[in-house]
Amino acid sequence: MLPDWIYDAIFLTAVVFLLGVYVSWRATRLDRLHVRVETARAALDAALVRRAAVALELAASRLLDPATSLVLATAAHEAHTADAEAREFAESDLSRALRAVMDQPDFAATVSARPEGQAVLEELTAASAKVVYARSFYNDAVASARTARRKLLVRVLPLAGRAAWPGFFEIDDDPPRP
């Protein structure tokens, strides 16, 4: 028969081991959530760039009157070149400009009557829908990461390392009606 202190040492070693496994699992999960946020952000950026490119294509297509083309091209250019701080405002302005252009009376019928018009409208509609989905996925990933980072264990043991606190991307992304 073994002395009692050996059983205590084995028990303590098992508890420390299981605690180490749990902490490692939490750290790995948090890392995966941060990777998910970064991946979703890259997809969102790609969708926003694509929407701005299609808006510029529509503005340059001669399907619109010159004033409308100028307003749309300016909004698309501002959205495409905005820095991180002004990006949300610029993207919201582009969304409003797209809605203002496409909500004009008989806009869809007039543009669709031209040979290349229907293709541009379909591309713009698809690009706008992708922005809505990409922003939704990104904000969901941010919410999951923020929830995980609020846990006591993550705060007590700095499991997030030096990763920046993820922020939501809030824009007016209501797609224009074709």
Side-chain angles (χ1 to χ4, degrees):
M1 180 134 235
L2 295 173
D4 288 339
W5 66 270
I6 291 181
Y7 291 115
D8 293 340
I10 291 172
F11 177 74
L12 185 61
T13 304
V15 167
V16 168
F17 175 75
L18 291 177
L19 185 63
V21 168
Y22 179 71
V23 168
S24 175
W25 174 77
R26 292 298 298 183
T28 302
R29 175 164 163 53
L30 190 59
D31 183 56
R32 282 195 319 260
L33 287 172
H34 280 125
V35 168
R36 185 174 149 210
V37 167
E38 290 172 10
T39 304
R41 181 60 188 228
L44 176 60
D45 286 340
L48 292 170
V49 167
R50 181 68 191 139
R51 181 180 73 159
V54 173
L56 280 172
E57 182 182 336
L58 177 62
S61 68
R62 297 182 187 237
L63 296 171
L64 308 173
D65 62 271
T68 304
S69 291
L70 182 61
V71 167
L72 188 56
T74 301
H77 177 71
E78 290 294 323
H80 185 67
T81 60
D83 62 353
E85 292 178 14
R87 183 98 189 257
E88 292 178 359
F89 296 112
E91 293 294 344
S92 293
D93 289 344
L94 177 57
S95 294
R96 287 188 285 273
L98 285 169
R99 281 196 309 272
V101 167
M102 294 184 75
D103 286 346
Q104 294 176 6
D106 299 324
F107 171 78
T110 304
V111 172
S112 296
R114 300 214 177 122
E116 68 277 2
Q118 185 62 34
V120 171
L121 282 179
E122 289 173 0
E123 198 172 356
L124 183 59
T125 302
S128 296
K130 286 179 184 175
V131 166
V132 173
Y133 293 131
R135 188 178 75 84
S136 175
F137 291 143
Y138 173 75
N139 284 341
D140 287 346
V142 167
S144 296
R146 289 177 92 154
T147 299
R149 285 185 67 165
R150 284 191 195 105
K151 301 289 183 187
L152 180 65
L153 183 66
V154 174
R155 287 182 291 146
V156 170
L157 303 174
L159 297 182
R162 295 184 182 151
W165 186 260
F168 293 103
F169 193 78
E170 296 300 331
I171 63 169
D172 174 3
D173 65 353
D174 289 336
R177 290 183 307 274

